[in-house]
Amino acid sequence: MATKKAKIASAKQIQRQFNFLKMLVALLIAILIIVVVVVLIADEPLEALGYFFIGPFDSVRHFGNIIENATPVLFTGIATCLLFAAGDVTLAGEGAVFLGGFVAAAVAVTTPIENKLLAVLAIAAAAVVGGLLSIIPVLAKRRYHCDSFVFSLLLNYVVLYVCVYLLNYYLHDYSYTSGVATAMFPKGAVLDPLIAKTSVNIGFIFGLFLAVAAWFFSKRTRWGYQAQLVRSNQKFAKYVGVHITKISLLVGFLGGMVASMGGAVDILGKAPRFSWVALPGYGWDGFMVATLAYYNPILVPFAALFLGYIRTGAQILNLRSDIPLELISAIQAIMILMIASKAMMNKMQQRKIEKQTRLQQQNEREEAEA
């Protein structure tokens, strides 16, 4: 009677299992750190912990805050997955978010359209301009061998200062005395809230659709496969006929489009006018969310919602207790460092791969002897 053979897991399956386990352990450690810090610092620790963990769900408004905080990083997380798809480490998403918000605002206050077509036109214009911006670091790397990471960081500040100049001298509403800002957005450009007393709008649903579309592009299309091939082995990709520059430009353009749409949705859905005079930081948040999701676009919504939950809880905790908001930001950084660490649980993962390899070899020997 033949003995039942144990199921052999491949190295890729083991890596996926340990990626999930690593993320879960990091999240649990981060939550444990939050609990310990609150217990040590807060005057009423149990009450403070209730504010943090339960507060985001104690009202419709607070639940809406979770989605509000998650929406921009949902877009930039998807954008980061696409920008990194061909191995180009670039933070052009940060500049694309800012440029997307600025272009959407400029279209909104200068285009004589009164219906909701104005919002569609503003977001579409932002998408195109943001996509074009994000291919610049790719071109600089492929054509002139520049470091795309450093180049994109510097390019973000070029975008910032050019947009602030245009805002100051061409789009500034001088009747607004609380700072530098555009005129009020017309009603046709505003993304109406889906939940009362919140800024939750159709942009979040659109972001979920983009996550599925980005996953389909990455996993089910020829271009997505070619991008993965370029990222893993450029020499082999070139040998089999992949046009590396074209694929890099394609994923760069798509990533920039998604990031800039995130900026447009954030501005048109939350603010009555454009008043950004500094980079919003959503590009860095997107990098953090993409790291949490292990650069899998279909997992980005869950990571974005978790981050939105953590930040909403931190805001409530900060308002209702004596815990500083910066402390939660520090804990977030620790959590990301643990998840990004290649050494975390590496020995356990390697031992399991070796064990499965030995089982595979044993099965092959038994089959050969039979």
Side-chain angles (χ1 to χ4, degrees), residues 352-363:
K352 186 166 183 180
I353 292 174
E354 291 172 357
K355 181 181 177 181
Q356 295 296 302
T357 303
R358 286 195 296 269
L359 285 173
Q360 178 68 32
Q361 292 172 347
Q362 181 180 347
N363 287 345

Side-chain angles (χ1 to χ4, degrees), residues 132-312:
L132 292 174
L133 172 72
S134 296
I135 66 174
I136 296 176
V138 178
L139 284 172
K141 177 182 178 180
R142 301 298 177 187
R143 293 289 181 87
Y144 304 107
H145 306 289
C146 297
D147 187 296
S148 57
F149 182 83
V150 175
F151 189 94
S152 62
L153 284 177
L154 298 175
L155 181 63
N156 291 341
Y157 285 97
V158 173
V159 171
L160 168 65
Y161 295 130
V162 169
C163 290
V164 170
Y165 170 81
L166 295 174
L167 176 63
N168 270 294
Y169 292 98
Y170 294 95
L171 294 176
H172 179 37
D173 179 10
Y174 289 96
S175 65
Y176 181 70
T177 58
S178 298
V180 180
T182 64
M184 292 281 290
F185 297 142
K187 190 175 180 180
V190 175
L191 300 178
D192 298 323
L194 299 177
I195 302 175
K197 298 181 180 180
T198 72
S199 298
V200 178
N201 54 65
I202 197 171
F204 180 73
I205 298 173
F206 185 52
L208 296 178
F209 168 78
L210 288 176
V212 175
W215 173 86
F216 184 84
F217 171 83
S218 301
K219 305 296 184 182
R220 294 290 185 270
T221 68
R222 174 170 57 90
W223 304 287
Y225 174 75
Q226 288 178 346
Q228 292 179 41
L229 196 59
V230 171
R231 181 181 60 200
S232 60
N233 193 326
Q234 284 193 26
K235 290 183 179 179
F236 180 72
K238 188 175 181 180
Y239 176 77
V240 297
V242 177
H243 198 299
I244 295 174
T245 301
K246 285 184 179 179
I247 289 297
S248 299
L249 290 174
L250 174 62
V251 295
F253 183 80
L254 294 176
M257 284 183 65
V258 174
S260 57
M261 283 191 286
V265 165
D266 193 65
I267 283 294
L268 300 180
K270 288 183 180 179
R273 59 179 84 222
F274 182 87
S275 59
W276 288 352
V277 291
L279 295 172
Y282 292 144
W284 290 99
D285 291 340
F287 176 73
M288 179 165 57
V289 165
T291 303
L292 275 170
Y294 286 98
Y295 299 96
N296 185 347
I298 205 70
L299 299 179
V300 166
F302 301 100
L305 285 169
F306 176 78
L307 186 61
Y309 166 70
I310 290 289
R311 288 187 169 172
T312 302

